[in-house]
Amino acid sequence: MIEVMVSMLVGAVLLITFLTLVVHSVKVERTNKDKLRAELYLREMIEVAKDLEKSNWNELTDGTCNTSCHPEISVSGTTWDILSDEETIGGIFTRSITVEPIERDNNLAFPNNIVESGGTNDPNTKKVTGTISWNSSGTPRTMTLEAYIYHYD
């Protein structure tokens, strides 16, 4: 009789342990899936900015993205438009990009390094920062990606 109770207790402990493992693995899978989607949405915005550096530089430098903006495919479906404010995508993600001017330490000599302040404004280089945020299992998450884009004729 006691052996049956001990075996039932061991079985219950094993079952609880197994169920806890399953629940935790589902939660981790969902978190990783959301993180991967966020990274792809973030990289897409940076790639759009890189496309615009070649196809429509003025779209990035007209001041719309000084605070927060997002890319959207044009009505024609062949170009990108930049719209002010952030964008909600995929139901849970909020993303935006900002475009900032760049200063260089010496515009005439090589190398002319990028500096935070005290340099000369480089009108042909911009810093693009993409930000995406979402809630994952009740925890707010944010991811940021930066890139430099260059305008050259």
Side-chain angles (χ1 to χ4, degrees):
M1 181 72 154
I2 201 101
E3 295 86 12
V4 172
M5 290 181 70
V6 169
S7 65
M8 286 177 60
L9 180 63
V10 169
V13 168
L14 289 175
L15 181 63
I16 290 171
T17 304
F18 176 73
L19 291 176
T20 302
L21 180 64
V22 168
V23 168
H24 183 68
S25 67
V26 167
K27 183 178 175 182
V28 167
E29 179 187 1
R30 186 179 310 125
T31 301
N32 287 341
K33 181 177 152 187
D34 288 347
K35 186 177 178 183
L36 178 61
R37 287 176 58 202
E39 187 173 343
L40 292 173
Y41 288 141
L42 191 56
R43 288 183 182 275
E44 177 186 47
M45 284 195 311
I46 297 298
E47 291 302 317
V48 168
K50 288 180 179 182
D51 178 57
L52 287 171
E53 88 179 322
K54 293 181 179 76
S55 64
N56 192 357
W57 178 255
N58 293 332
E59 188 77 27
L60 288 172
T61 58
D62 68 358
T64 304
C65 289
N66 288 348
T67 54
S68 173
C69 66
H70 69 276
E72 192 170 284
I73 197 77
S74 67
V75 176
S76 68
T78 58
T79 60
W80 290 99
D81 292 329
I82 297 294
L83 304 176
S84 62
D85 214 0
E86 51 192 26
E87 170 187 35
T88 300
I89 189 167
I92 62 169
F93 301 98
T94 304
R95 69 180 183 172
S96 66
I97 57 173
T98 57
V99 179
E100 302 171 56
I102 293 301
E103 293 183 7
R104 295 198 180 263
D105 59 359
N106 187 344
N107 243 2
L108 302 176
F110 183 80
N112 49 1
N113 300 312
I114 294 174
V115 294
E116 291 292 322
S117 63
T120 305
N121 183 44
D122 181 357
N124 294 318
T125 305
K126 301 293 179 192
K127 178 181 174 183
V128 176
T129 305
T131 305
I132 190 163
S133 58
W134 74 101
N135 279 320
S136 179
S137 301
T139 304
R141 306 215 185 250
T142 301
M143 194 180 295
T144 303
L145 186 61
E146 296 177 349
Y148 291 96
I149 57 174
Y150 310 93
H151 181 246
Y152 46 91
D153 292 322

